[in-house]
Structures are given as structure tokens and as C-alpha cells.
């Protein structure tokens, strides 16, 4: 029989429910199967999202504002539904089975979408160059397929990345070091899938047919699921050791604190209710250390509240601190919404802007406008290895932080680069408007004598920014979530992008409506050659600068999670008791002073 040290120390099990062996399960060899799925899934998603605005305007004949709104609404749904998928995973089914069922729904949606764009009867008819609007049944079938994909994504997005992170044992120092690079290389894989979509699939859609352009990623997604299930014997699974729904603590803590509002809060947090340290050692769970913020919530753990009624028993200090963490993350989440609005421009207005420019590259090749999105991905692919292999080690020597810089500092750098990107987008649009006035080209189909390559800097810089903020956000929300709520915590990342898309949809609609009153020239309209898109980009630049100030304020008040990751007779206040404990506290310093 294997020695006890041969097993993982974080309580994970293999697919048969037995304690997982360190040598035979998890780590990068397990993640190799997961990233295979993720690459194909990203190819499928971006194969649809990158060029969807063009399909809606050229094939379903929607106007510009409506198509931008519909793309944002669908993208928002794709990034919002993970809240439900994460809740199901954390509360009942677990990450593996939630992902399994959801991935089948995802594939069904892709099949339906491929059918929708392939059969002429499901698309509007054109006669002598005059095309009809899509019928109600055609629209219903197309959008049903799109939103089936959104439902499937709800169970796959929040669980596949957290399931990958579960393959590393935090109690093992070497595996903990591997995990520090996991999210960088995880996102690197997603960028490969996105690059394939924006370079290859977009060209196929516009030149060889939409059915082939959607059919290829559908087959790829089916193949990736086979790859995923081949790796089943070596996956590690985290088991729930309690019947308590961890997500319910978000409500139970403030309710219990309010119920105990008249009780006196002890000055010493050690007098609050907490399970014995042996409980965390036995279960492999982590005790979250007390923090001085939101002290009112500490009343939920007052021992005087103990009674025979389970509903009125005090919560543990770890449960209270878990709720505090979620409250702190909500504040950070709020200041990520404006950057998500900027990100939403990549697949909407940036693409429509590109269609008005000279897209010829040589005598015969014409660049698809949506293909410029590949430069977002290319810049990420170049920068992620540089960040992980050069920037992090260099900064680690300067700061002593294992990550090089703190998670919030990483986000701040990304947000600043994104501001530079939108400033350049504004300047390029001012240039485009000047060329339009000079040549008097104001008709909708006029091609502006200005190369589409002028748009490259804004795409490249957004890609560089995402190396800091997109990867940083995913890691931040996973890392700072209570252990049993990490799927839910990850949805802070996905839901921020989703809400950003919804806000962009609302913003575009309201701006078009308000600025067009009284016969004035709209900022955004069907004819981008006769609009003031530069004003809209200037508006985005202003609110991005204001939001950066709000982010710096929120970061200065955020206190990072502190928890025991190797417990043996040690308290959270780092007072060593009897014995010779080995202790590691995850207590990174943030921007706060």
C-alpha cells in the first residue's frame, strides 16, 4: 500500500472516489487534456463572436445599432450564465459533472447554429440584389441556437478553469509553484483558439461560406470533448465535506449579524465562534484569518448566539471572513465594468469601423475587418510567455512577491494600458473623419482612402492590456474566493465581461437615440461615414480615466485573503503553540498602506 505521503494533502480524490495519488493524478499532465478542450472551445466561441456583427448586417440585414445591441446582448448572456453554472457546481453537482452536462448543450447549440447558416430556407432570400428582412421563424431559429450556446457556456466557463486549478495541491510546495503559472498558460491556450478563429474561420466565413466557417469549430468542439474524457482517470476532484451550501453564507452572514446586532462584540476575535483547528487539519480545508474590516459582520460569529436551534447557531469566523471576501470582491468587480465596455468594442464598433477603410493588401487579397481581432490575440501570445518567464522573475527579485507584483497592481497596469488604447482609437477616428471631410466620402458604402492597418495599434494595445487585466482578473477572483466558492468566485470575472457587454448595448442604444434628436448627426448610426464615432470614443476615454481613479481608491482599501494552507497546531494570528509546526500563510501585500 502506498505511503500516506504519496497522496495529495488537499483532500482531492480520483474519479473512483479514492484519495488521489500525487504521482499518478493531476498537475500539468492532467491539464494537458483540459487545455485541449479549451483551445477548441475558444475557437468555436470566437469563430461566432468575432464576425457575428457582420453576419447580422449582411445576412440577416439588421441595421448597425440593432446588430451591435444583439451581439452585446448575446455576448453578455454567454458571460452572465456562468453564475448559474458555478452555483450548481459549488452547491450540488460538482465541477466535473456540471461541465459534462453543459458541454453537451454547448455542442447542440453549435450544431443548430451551423444548420441555421447552412440552409437557404433558414436565411432571408435575395432577388436581383434586393434582400428581404429575415422572417420571424428564421430569426427565432438563429437566436435559439445562439442562446443555447450561451446556456451551455454557463456550465463550462466557470468550471473548466477552476477544475484545472484543482489539479494542483496547494499543500505541496512544488505544485503550488506550478499553480502560480497555471492561469497565465491557461489563457495562453485560449488565445491560440481565438487566434485560429480570427485568422482562419473569419476568412472562411466571408469567402468560402458561413456553413463551413461554423461547421469546422463544431467538429473541433466534438473532438475536444473526446480529448477531455480520455483524461478522466488522472483528474483530481474536490469533494464537498459539508452539506452546507457555501454560497448561502453570503445571505446567512448578514442575516445572523443583524439578528445579533444588540449583542456586544468582543474586542478579541479569538473569542468569536470558530471550529477547532483539528477540523481543518482533518478535512484538508483552510481556516481564513480574521480581518478588521466590516466588523459588524463579526456579530454573526458571537458565541452568545448559540442555541439549540440550528437556525440561530453562530457561524464560524471562517464563514464570516468568506462573506467579507465576497463583499470586497464586489467592490473590485464594480470598477472592472468600464474596462469590459472597452473590451466589447473589439467585436462590434471596431469591426464596423474597419469595414469602412481600405482593406486591400496587395492586388488580390482583402483583409476581413474582423480578422484584425487576431492582433489582440497575437499580442497576448507574445506577451504571456514574456510576462511569465521574464517580467515575473525580475519583479520577484525587486518586490519579494511570488507573483512579481500583486494581483491588484497587475490589474491597474492593464487598465492604464487600455486607456492608452482607447486614446489611440479616438485619435485614429479623428484622422478617419478628417479624410472623410477632405474627400467628401459620406455615402454608406464609400471606402475611405485610409488603410485598415491604422487600427492595428488599438488592437495590439488591448491585447497587451489583457495580459495584465484579463488574466489578472481570473486569477484574482479565483485566488480571493473562499475555498468552497471558487467556481462562484470565478464568475465575478465572467459576469463582469457579461455586464460590460450589456452596458455597452445600453450605451450604444442610448447614445444613438439621444445624439440623433432634432435632426443632429448621430454619434453612432447605420452610416459610419456620416456619424461622430470620434465623440463616442472620446466619451469612452473620459469614463475610463474616471474609472481608473475609482479602481485606485478601491484597491487602496482592499485587504487580501489570509488563510492557513499548511496547518499543524498554528493559529491565524501566527502565535505558535506546542509542537514544531510548518506554517504557510497566503498573505500577499496589496496596494494598501
Amino acid at each position: 500500500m502506498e505511503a500516506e505521503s504519496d497522496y495529495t494533502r488537499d483532500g482531492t480524490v480520483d474519479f473512483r472516489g479514492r484519495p488521489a495519488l500525487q504521482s499518478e493524478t493531476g498537475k500539468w499532465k492532467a491539464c494537458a487534456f483540459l487545455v485541449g478542450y479549451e483551445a477548441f472551445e475558444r475557437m468555436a466561441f470566437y469563430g461566432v463572436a468575432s464576425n457575428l456583427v457582420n453576419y447580422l448586417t449582411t445576412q440577416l440585414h439588421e441595421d448597425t445599432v440593432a446588430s451591435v445591441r444583439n451581439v452585446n446582448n448575446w455576448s453578455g448572456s454567454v458571460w452572465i450564465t456562468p453564475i448559474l453554472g458555478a452555483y450548481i457546481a459549488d452547491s450540488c453537482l460538482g465541477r466535473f459533472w456540471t461541465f459534462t452536462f453543459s458541454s453537451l448543450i454547448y455542442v447542440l447549440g453549435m450544431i443548430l447554429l451551423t444548420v441555421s447558416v447552412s440552409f437557404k430556407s433558414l436565411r432571408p432570400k435575395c432577388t436581383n440584389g434586393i434582400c428581404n428582412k429575415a422572417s420571424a421563424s428564421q430569426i427565432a431559429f438563429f437566436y435559439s441556437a445562439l442562446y443555447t450556446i450561451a446556456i451551455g457556456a454557463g456550465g463550462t466557463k466557470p468550471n473548466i478553469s477552476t477544475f484545472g486549478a484543482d489539479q494542483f495541491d496547494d499543500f505541496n510546495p512544488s505544485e503550488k509553484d506550478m499553480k502560480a503559472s497555471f492561469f497565465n498558460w491557461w489563457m495562453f491556450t485560449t488565445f491560440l483558439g481565438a487566434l485560429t478563429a480570427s485568422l482562419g474561420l473569419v476568412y472562411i466565413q466571408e469567402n468560402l461560406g458561413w456553413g463551413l466557417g461554423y461547421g469546422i469549430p463544431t467538429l473541433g468542439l466534438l473532438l475536444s470533448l473526446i480529448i477531455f474524457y480520455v483524461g478522466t482517470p488522472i483528474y483530481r476532484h474536490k469533494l464537498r465535506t459539508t452539506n452546507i451550501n457555501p454560497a448561502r453564507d453570503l445571505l446567512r452572514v448578514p442575516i445572523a449579524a443583524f439578528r445579533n446586532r444588540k449583542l456586544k462584540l468582543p474586542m478579541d476575535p479569538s473569542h468569536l465562534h470558530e471550529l477547532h483547528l483539528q477540523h481543518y487539519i482533518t478535512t484538508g480545508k483552510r481556516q481564513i484569518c480574521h480581518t478588521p474590516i466590516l466588523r459588524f459582520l463579526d456579530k454573526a460569529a458571537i458565541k452568545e448566539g448559540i442555541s439549540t436551534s440550528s437556525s440561530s447557531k453562530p457561524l464560524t469566523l471562517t464563514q464570516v471572513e468568506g462573506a467579507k471576501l465576497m463583499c470586497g470582491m464586489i467592490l473590485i468587480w464594480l470598477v472592472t465594468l468600464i474596462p469590459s465596455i472597452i473590451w466589447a468594442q473589439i467585436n462590434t464598433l471596431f469591426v464596423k469601423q474597419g469595414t469602412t477603410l481600405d482593406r486591400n493588401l496587395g492586388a488580390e487579397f482583402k483583409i476581413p475587418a474582423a480578422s484584425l481581432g487576431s492582433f489582440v490575440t497575437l499580442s497576448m501570445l507574445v506577451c504571456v510567455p514574456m510576462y511569465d518567464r521574464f517580467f515575473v522573475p525580475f519583479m520577484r527579485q525587486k518586490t519579494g512577491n511570488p507573483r512579481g507584483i500583486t494581483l491588484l497592481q497587475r490589474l491597474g497596469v492593464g487598465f492604464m494600458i487600455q486607456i492608452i488604447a482607447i486614446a489611440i482609437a479616438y485619435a485614429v477616428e479623428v484622422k478617419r473623419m478628417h479624410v472623410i471631410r477632405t474627400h467628401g466620402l459620406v455615402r454608406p458604402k464609400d471606402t475611405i482612402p485610409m488603410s485598415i492597418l491604422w487600427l492595428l495599434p488599438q488592437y495590439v494595445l488591448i491585447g497587451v492590456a489583457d495580459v495584465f487585466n484579463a488574466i489578472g482578473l481570473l486569477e484574482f477572483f479565483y485566488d480571493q474566493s473562499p475555498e468552497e466558492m471558487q467556481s462562484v468566485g470565478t464568475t465575478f470575472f465572467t459576469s463582469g465581461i457579461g455586464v460590460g457587454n450589456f452596458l455597452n448595448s445600453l450605451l450604444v442604444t442610448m447614445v444613438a437615440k439621444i445624439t440623433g434628436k432634432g435632426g443632429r448627426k448621430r454619434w453612432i448610426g447605420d452610416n459610419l461615414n456620416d456619424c461622430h464615432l470620434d465623440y463616442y470614443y472620446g466619451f469612452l476615454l473620459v469614463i475610463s480615466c474616471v474609472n481608473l481613479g475609482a479602481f485606485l481608491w478601491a484597491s487602496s482599501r482592499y485587504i487580501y485573503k489570509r488563510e492557513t494552507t499548511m496547518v499543524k497546531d498554528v493559529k491565524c494570528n501566527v502565535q505558535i503553540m506546542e509542537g514544531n509546526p510548518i506554517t504557510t500563510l497566503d498573505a500577499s501585500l496589496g496596494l494598501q498602506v
Side-chain angles (χ1 to χ4, degrees), residues 151-461:
I151 293 172
T156 59
K157 282 185 181 296
N159 293 305
I160 187 67
S161 59
T162 49
F163 187 63
D166 289 345
Q167 305 309 306
F168 301 94
D169 185 357
D170 276 339
F171 291 80
N172 184 313
S174 63
E175 290 192 27
K176 188 174 178 65
D177 288 341
M178 295 179 194
K179 189 174 181 178
S181 295
F182 168 73
F183 285 107
N184 288 332
W185 292 104
W186 176 263
M187 293 297 284
F188 182 85
T189 305
T190 70
F191 302 155
L192 286 176
L195 180 64
T196 303
S198 55
L199 279 181
L201 294 181
V202 167
Y203 180 83
I204 291 172
Q205 290 163 4
E206 294 193 7
N207 295 276
L208 301 179
W210 293 90
L212 183 62
Y214 286 166
I216 291 174
T218 301
L219 291 175
L221 198 59
L222 285 168
L223 174 62
S224 70
L225 285 178
I226 296 174
I227 295 173
F228 174 82
Y229 291 118
V230 167
T232 298
I234 62 173
Y235 294 151
R236 296 175 182 175
H237 304 263
K238 282 193 174 182
L239 293 179
R240 294 183 62 220
T241 56
T242 174
N243 293 325
I244 297 176
N245 183 345
R248 197 183 306 161
D249 289 346
L250 292 179
L251 295 177
R252 295 175 68 217
V253 168
I255 291 174
F258 180 78
R259 186 177 59 239
N260 295 341
R261 64 190 181 279
K262 295 182 179 180
L263 299 179
K264 185 177 180 181
L265 190 66
M267 296 298 294
D268 187 349
S270 65
H271 295 161
L272 296 172
H273 178 56
E274 181 58 284
L275 297 176
H276 193 275
L277 190 61
Q278 186 60 42
H279 168 80
Y280 296 100
I281 299 174
T282 303
T283 61
K285 300 301 178 183
R286 302 173 207 170
Q287 180 182 2
I288 305 178
C289 304
H290 179 264
T291 57
I293 62 172
L294 300 175
R295 286 277 290 164
F296 173 78
L297 295 180
D298 288 348
K299 290 195 172 186
I302 293 179
K303 292 182 179 180
E304 284 78 356
I306 296 179
S307 73
T308 58
S309 172
S310 60
S311 62
S312 59
K313 286 182 179 179
L315 300 175
T316 66
L317 194 57
T318 291
Q319 289 174 300
V320 172
E321 290 301 321
K324 288 183 182 180
L325 283 172
M326 300 304 279
C327 291
M329 289 193 297
I330 288 173
L331 184 60
I332 299 299
W333 178 83
L334 288 172
V335 292
T336 67
L337 298 182
I338 299 301
S340 294
I341 290 177
I342 304 302
W343 187 84
Q345 310 308 314
I346 296 172
N347 295 327
T348 53
L349 289 179
F350 283 6
V351 175
K352 294 302 294 180
Q353 184 184 20
T355 60
T356 69
L357 301 176
D358 181 7
R359 295 185 283 138
N360 292 313
L361 192 63
E364 298 181 358
F365 184 75
K366 194 172 187 177
I367 303 174
S371 287
L372 283 190
S374 63
F375 286 92
V376 174
T377 309
L378 282 170
S379 60
M380 288 177 168
L381 290 173
V382 171
C383 291
V384 166
M386 293 176 62
Y387 182 91
D388 191 73
R389 297 305 181 192
F390 299 103
F391 180 79
V392 171
F394 174 77
M395 292 304 300
R396 185 182 293 149
Q397 292 180 349
K398 300 291 184 180
T399 65
N401 189 301
R403 291 186 173 95
I405 56 177
T406 67
L407 292 171
L408 290 177
Q409 287 171 342
R410 182 174 186 171
L411 298 183
V413 172
F415 293 160
M416 285 188 284
I417 296 174
Q418 198 179 62
I419 287 175
I420 297 173
I422 197 63
I424 290 176
Y426 167 75
V428 170
E429 181 58 18
V430 170
K431 167 72 174 177
R432 191 182 76 94
M433 297 302 295
H434 174 73
V435 174
I436 288 173
R437 288 192 299 270
T438 301
H439 292 83
L441 302 172
V442 295
R443 290 177 299 181
K445 294 186 178 181
D446 284 343
T447 298
I448 311 304
M450 177 178 170
S451 174
I452 194 174
L453 298 181
W454 275 87
L455 301 182
L456 278 184
Q458 62 202 56
Y459 278 98
V460 170
L461 282 175

Side-chain angles (χ1 to χ4, degrees), residues 568-589:
K568 190 174 182 181
D569 296 329
V570 62
K571 290 186 177 181
C572 269
N573 58 10
V574 204
Q575 290 179 345
I576 299 177
M577 300 172 67
E578 294 181 1
N580 185 24
I582 302 175
T583 307
T584 302
L585 291 178
D586 187 359
S588 305
L589 294 177

